[in-house]
Amino acid sequence: MTNLITGASSGIGEALAYALAKRGDKLFICGRDKARLKAVAERCNAEWAVVDVADAKATAEWIRKANEKHPIDRVFANAGVSTGEENDKNVRNTFAVNVGGCVNTVLPAIEIFSRRNPPNQTIDRKNRPTIVITASIAGYGPLKACPSYSATKACVKTWGLSLRGYLAPKGINVSAICP
């Protein structure tokens, strides 16, 4: 199984990379912190790239190149940040990474997976290409300590759940996880 994970230099993405590597899966990982990402990649024997998922062009190019090297089976749109203080800079960064980064990861994956699956072909659900969106339990209700984070996670959760039904006829699985 070949997996692509954004936000793999720490947190859930890092843990996911270790778990998938332990199973023997092939990994393409990205993040913004070069030193931490490189350490994760070395431990997982993963191919890695420093990519800011808020950059749509760079993210799409990285996903396309990874898929050309080895067809991707699962894409984990995992990159995310927490707001901290609700000021202009932090709020905009939270939306750019958590929503924009998710969109910038998922849209190229849909394009790749749609080309792979001919229309009206029956594909066993467990063998379908899969998109996994990391949302959060914060997406179920507004948290006064982190309004921007809550809003962005509600957005990607709802988008993921909606995409599930929309992409099912195209033979693409979608999951939205809410840790």
Side-chain angles (χ1 to χ4, degrees):
M1 180 86 46
T2 301
N3 302 281
L4 182 139
I5 307 168
T6 65
S9 59
S10 64
I12 292 169
E14 178 183 8
L16 181 60
Y18 295 148
L20 294 172
K22 187 175 180 180
R23 291 182 3 173
D25 286 7
K26 177 149 185 60
L27 299 174
F28 292 98
I29 63 173
C30 82
R32 294 187 293 183
D33 186 313
K34 183 178 181 179
R36 290 192 325 206
L37 185 65
K38 184 177 178 188
V40 173
E42 288 172 355
R43 186 168 164 195
C44 295
N45 193 30
E47 293 194 38
W48 62 281
V50 175
V51 177
D52 181 352
V53 295
D55 182 335
K57 185 176 178 181
T59 303
E61 182 69 10
W62 173 65
I63 294 169
R64 184 189 60 75
K65 285 181 178 178
N67 189 64
E68 286 174 359
K69 286 183 182 179
H70 202 285
I72 299 166
D73 299 300
R74 286 187 300 216
V75 169
F76 291 86
N78 175 71
V81 295
S82 184
T83 309
E85 182 184 339
E86 289 283 308
N87 60 44
D88 187 80
K89 181 181 176 185
N90 288 347
V91 170
R92 290 180 188 283
N93 183 57
T94 300
F95 274 85
V97 174
N98 293 4
V99 177
C102 182
V103 169
N104 295 340
T105 303
V106 171
L107 291 180
I110 292 170
E111 183 181 327
I112 288 167
F113 292 161
S114 294
R115 277 184 279 157
R116 188 178 303 163
N117 293 344
N120 304 317
Q121 179 182 346
T122 303
I123 302 167
D124 180 22
R125 184 158 173 78
K126 70 178 185 172
N127 293 319
R128 291 178 177 183
T130 300
I131 297 167
V132 180
I133 295 172
T134 302
S136 170
I137 194 72
Y140 281 97
L143 301 177
K144 68 180 182 178
C146 50
S148 299
Y149 181 80
S150 296
T152 62
K153 292 305 181 172
C155 177
V156 299
K157 171 186 60 81
T158 301
W159 189 46
L161 294 174
S162 298
L163 282 175
R164 178 185 296 160
Y166 177 75
L167 293 174
K170 297 179 184 207
I172 301 170
N173 292 331
V174 179
S175 293
I177 61 169
C178 297

